[in-house]
Amino acid sequence: LLDGTEVVVKVRRPGVVEQVEEDLGILIDLANTASQHWEPAAQYDLPGLVAEFAQTLRAELDYVNEGHNAERFGAMFEDDATIVIPRIFWETTTSCVLTLERMHGIKINDLPALDAAHIDRSVLARRACDALLQMVFDERFFHADPHPGNFFIQDDGNIALIDFGMVGVVDERTRDQLAQLMVALTSQDSAQLVDAFLDLGVGGRGASRDALERDLDHLVAGLYGRPLKEVRLGPLLAEAQAVARKHQLRLPSNLALLLKSLAM
């Protein structure tokens, strides 16, 4: 900026809104046609899923929304110096131009660079998990695109978080059900896990509790005797979502978005 402040300027590509709307129109037509002629599409409410996707995508195209999301995360972590959220410069921000404070640091998955900088990776992992748990269970508002490129680790080990276009909101009921699901997984209780899945998802006509419990027994068996620190969360959640799809359980859009982000 004129005062020497380093910023990043994000500019929406000209014509992209019109192109996205055209593509979404095609998707909506395909979803409506599929739901009329293909039973699985009707069971999963494919038009509803496309509508949810369209709503999320349109929100990402408005940089004013992204700026407000960033400020909400800034307020969320204002008392936590270990999580850094860039400042938004509203005087040079519009719906198609976003100006924000530049963040420096090491990408969170660049392990050799982290080691060379003497960053304690166990402390870093705990810090990232604490931040995620605060987003989901305390604030019920979470960053839904947590790929490594959106995390910069600063020299002091603090985490600078960027890119707030895709976010999710967790209602109180879903938060409590998610906690039930996590307890069932960690206690390796397949019956409780079935209850959690059925509470969370909307079952299709092909859903069978007995068949679902058999598949979840298989999932839980892979955890038996293993300490939690050895369980890879991403593959585990991906397998759990595959079980849900197999049994025609349609998860709420906010929960599906959260599980997708956790599996990254």
Side-chain angles (χ1 to χ4, degrees), residues 158-180:
N158 293 340
I159 300 173
L161 188 60
I162 66 169
D163 194 355
F164 308 96
M166 186 183 294
V167 297
V169 178
V170 181
D171 58 79
E172 289 189 21
R173 181 174 180 271
T174 301
R175 178 193 61 186
D176 294 343
Q177 291 171 328
L178 182 61
Q180 178 189 355

Side-chain angles (χ1 to χ4, degrees), residues 1-254:
L1 302 180
L2 292 176
D3 64 2
T5 302
E6 286 192 350
V7 296
V8 170
V9 181
K10 184 175 180 179
V11 181
R12 193 173 68 195
R13 184 178 302 169
V16 71
V17 173
E18 294 78 10
Q19 183 64 61
V20 166
E21 288 298 332
E22 182 178 342
D23 291 344
L24 288 175
I26 295 170
L27 280 177
I28 291 169
D29 287 344
L30 288 172
N32 289 333
T33 301
S35 65
Q36 294 170 7
H37 300 284
W38 186 38
E39 186 175 354
Q43 291 176 345
Y44 283 107
D45 185 19
L46 201 55
L49 292 176
V50 171
E52 291 169 359
F53 169 71
Q55 182 180 16
T56 300
L57 189 56
R58 287 176 178 131
E60 283 192 78
L61 293 173
D62 186 344
Y63 292 163
V64 170
N65 284 337
E66 183 170 347
H68 287 307
N69 291 340
E71 288 195 328
R72 184 168 176 178
F73 282 109
M76 186 186 303
F77 293 108
E78 63 180 347
D79 296 325
D80 184 353
T82 67
I83 305 296
V84 182
I85 307 297
R87 173 188 170 192
I88 303 299
F89 295 89
W90 288 108
E91 62 272 19
T92 51
T93 291
T94 68
S95 62
C96 51
V97 177
L98 176 65
T99 306
L100 64 162
E101 179 184 3
R102 184 173 183 178
M103 296 286 101
H104 294 276
I106 303 167
K107 283 190 178 181
I108 198 169
N109 65 340
D110 189 345
L111 304 187
L114 292 175
D115 291 339
H118 306 291
I119 302 294
D120 188 326
R121 285 195 264 147
S122 62
V123 172
L124 179 61
R126 189 175 300 110
R127 187 170 290 165
C129 288
D130 286 345
L132 178 60
L133 291 173
Q134 181 178 342
M135 291 180 199
V136 175
F137 290 100
D138 291 340
E139 307 293 340
R140 297 188 288 113
F141 182 76
F142 63 93
H143 191 299
D145 193 19
H147 64 77
N150 286 338
F151 290 82
F152 290 98
I153 310 308
Q154 300 179 329
D155 293 340
D156 53 9
N158 293 340
I159 300 173
L161 188 60
I162 66 169
D163 194 355
F164 308 96
M166 186 183 294
V167 297
V169 178
V170 181
D171 58 79
E172 289 189 21
R173 181 174 180 271
T174 301
R175 178 193 61 186
D176 294 343
Q177 291 171 328
L178 182 61
Q180 178 189 355
L181 177 65
M182 299 303 290
V183 169
L185 276 172
T186 55
S187 62
Q188 301 175 11
D189 185 334
S190 57
Q192 186 181 1
L193 196 55
V194 171
D195 290 337
F197 260 75
L198 292 176
D199 284 346
L200 282 166
V202 178
R205 283 174 290 176
S208 162
R209 180 185 176 90
D210 290 340
L212 176 60
E213 187 163 2
R214 284 194 298 271
D215 281 343
L216 291 177
D217 273 334
H218 178 74
L219 178 67
V220 169
L223 305 176
Y224 184 75
R226 296 170 60 189
L228 192 59
K229 65 181 181 180
E230 293 182 3
V231 177
R232 296 182 61 198
L233 183 61
L236 176 64
L237 290 175
E239 187 174 351
Q241 287 180 283
V243 171
R245 286 194 298 270
K246 176 181 177 181
H247 293 275
Q248 300 177 5
L249 293 174
R250 185 167 62 86
L251 300 178
S253 59
N254 59 347

Side-chain angles (χ1 to χ4, degrees), residues 144-146 166 241 255-264:
D145 193 19
M166 186 183 294
Q241 287 180 283
L255 180 62
L257 187 61
L258 174 58
L259 292 179
K260 176 179 177 293
S261 64
L262 289 174
M264 286 186 174

